[in-house]
Amino acid sequence: MTANPSLVLNKIDDITFETYDAPEITEPTDVLVEVKKTGICGSDIHYYAHGKIGNFVLTKPMVLGHESSGVVTKIGKGVTSLKVGDKVAIEPGIPSRFSDAYKSGHYNLCPHMCFAATPNSTEGEPNPPGTLCKYFKSPEDFLVKLPEHVSLEMGALVEPLSVGVHASKLASVRFGDFVAVFGAGPVGLLAAAVAKTFGAKGVIVIDIFDNKLQMAKDIGAATHIFNSKTGGDAAALIKAFDGHEPTVVLECTGAEPCINQGVAILAQGGRFVQVGNAPAPVKFPITEFATKELTLFGSFRYGFNDYKTSVDIMDTNYQNGKEKAPIDFEQLITHRFKFDDAIKAYDLVRAGSGAVKCIIDGPE
């Protein structure tokens, strides 16, 4: 058997390096990927620090990682769209092919989703493997080939970028929209970049940290920024947006004050997408929401074609070279680590020491 070095979360505060047997091709459509780049997600840190997110509770060891790209090393006999040596982005959630959610075109809502590095509640069954390992097996149709202009590092950003794509698709963001994005973390910054790419006339990013807001401007994702801690109330926010009431709000924090302010600034008939997860139930301004005839969308991960759209965004962005790219996605990567230093990477991100997106190399 081929060795498969992996980074494993055993329990709260306990990450170790382990070596398992590499997965093998068992189905005609299976593809084996040698993982090259993996981003650290906030959910990874939540499991590391708290052992759970909502109903997903860590009760047994779990290989970490789900924001990954790599190179195809082996394919099943039925694979037609990929070949050995192709660079790919790995979509890490595989639904049941028999669920109503899958059949209705909403596979991200499948109750039997097998999602990398997300605890499995079934008694006696192992957790779905994460992607922070040397070899990861995936069905062919959950891998997206990376074109020439998209690096493996950018391929690792496709997963969080797809969250932003899904949110903008739900809100039908289009040319001429004015979009407000609450939260300048990785998802908020990428959601803003998507909204701008989709044709929004203006994109304002709201946060309480000036350095994060400056990054939103620096990477080209925001046309306007607003510090909600020092800048004032909803009226001040609209004034900072050159007087425009947003037609779309993408709420990426889950914080009650941001949700309430999002409703307050939305134009009548506007669209509100809740992307961020709240740690507990929140008070919601339902009367204002109703009298404005707003539309509320929940947003969970990503669905059909969102990964391909994200790769297309990356490809279009970089086809004229890095120096001419409209969005500087590379600036989001603030820290890089070798696989052997992966635990240090997790501790750095957990400490909140200024990392935006941390990328870990695959095992040598």
Side-chain angles (χ1 to χ4, degrees), residues 13 37 58 61 74 119 159 186 227-228 309 323:
D13 298 332
K37 304 289 180 180
L58 183 73
K74 192 174 182 180
E159 197 275 346
N227 189 315
S228 57
T309 301
E323 68 282 353

Side-chain angles (χ1 to χ4, degrees), residues 217-361:
K217 291 277 283 188
D218 290 345
I219 69 171
T223 59
H224 299 71
I225 54 176
F226 184 78
N227 189 315
S228 57
K229 188 174 184 179
T230 61
D233 58 9
L237 197 163
I238 292 171
K239 183 179 180 181
F241 207 10
D242 295 334
H244 297 294
E245 292 182 331
T247 52
V248 174
V249 163
L250 305 178
E251 206 298 300
C252 299
T253 72
E256 184 176 304
C258 295
I259 294 169
N260 289 334
Q261 193 170 56
V263 173
I265 64 173
L266 254 180
Q268 291 186 344
R271 294 99 73 195
F272 187 111
V273 183
Q274 187 60 45
V275 183
N277 290 321
V282 300
K283 293 181 179 179
F284 187 80
I286 194 66
T287 300
E288 184 175 8
F289 192 89
T291 55
K292 282 185 170 182
E293 286 200 357
L294 305 180
T295 303
L296 174 64
F297 297 90
S299 185
F300 186 59
R301 294 174 179 158
Y302 29 77
F304 176 69
N305 237 19
D306 292 339
Y307 245 67
K308 290 182 179 179
T309 301
S310 295
V311 171
D312 286 342
I313 287 173
M314 288 285 192
D315 190 29
T316 302
N317 189 69
Y318 286 111
Q319 64 183 354
N320 294 319
K322 295 179 183 179
E323 68 282 353
K324 296 181 180 179
I327 307 293
D328 186 5
F329 289 109
E330 296 199 4
Q331 195 176 151
L332 294 174
I333 302 175
T334 54
H335 296 77
R336 295 171 173 85
F337 287 84
K338 295 294 185 183
F339 181 76
D340 291 345
D341 294 322
I343 297 175
K344 294 179 183 178
Y346 270 81
D347 287 338
L348 176 119
V349 177
R350 180 178 176 178
S353 51
V356 178
K357 182 54 67 174
C358 178
I359 298 289
I360 301 171
D361 290 343

Side-chain angles (χ1 to χ4, degrees), residues 141-216:
D141 57 328
F142 281 82
L143 298 172
V144 180
K145 184 177 177 179
L146 298 178
E148 177 186 352
H149 303 109
V150 181
S151 69
L152 286 164
E153 279 197 339
M154 293 300 97
L157 285 184
V158 168
E159 197 275 346
L161 183 61
S162 295
V163 175
V165 166
H166 192 63
S168 275
K169 284 185 177 180
L170 286 168
S172 301
V173 174
R174 51 190 174 266
F175 185 80
D177 270 324
F178 288 93
V179 178
V181 179
F182 284 85
V187 169
L189 292 170
L190 290 167
V194 172
K196 191 174 181 184
T197 303
F198 276 23
K201 190 172 183 179
V203 177
I204 187 168
V205 174
I206 303 103
D207 205 288
I208 61 173
F209 296 105
D210 287 331
N211 60 327
K212 291 184 176 182
L213 292 170
Q214 188 58 49
M215 177 169 280

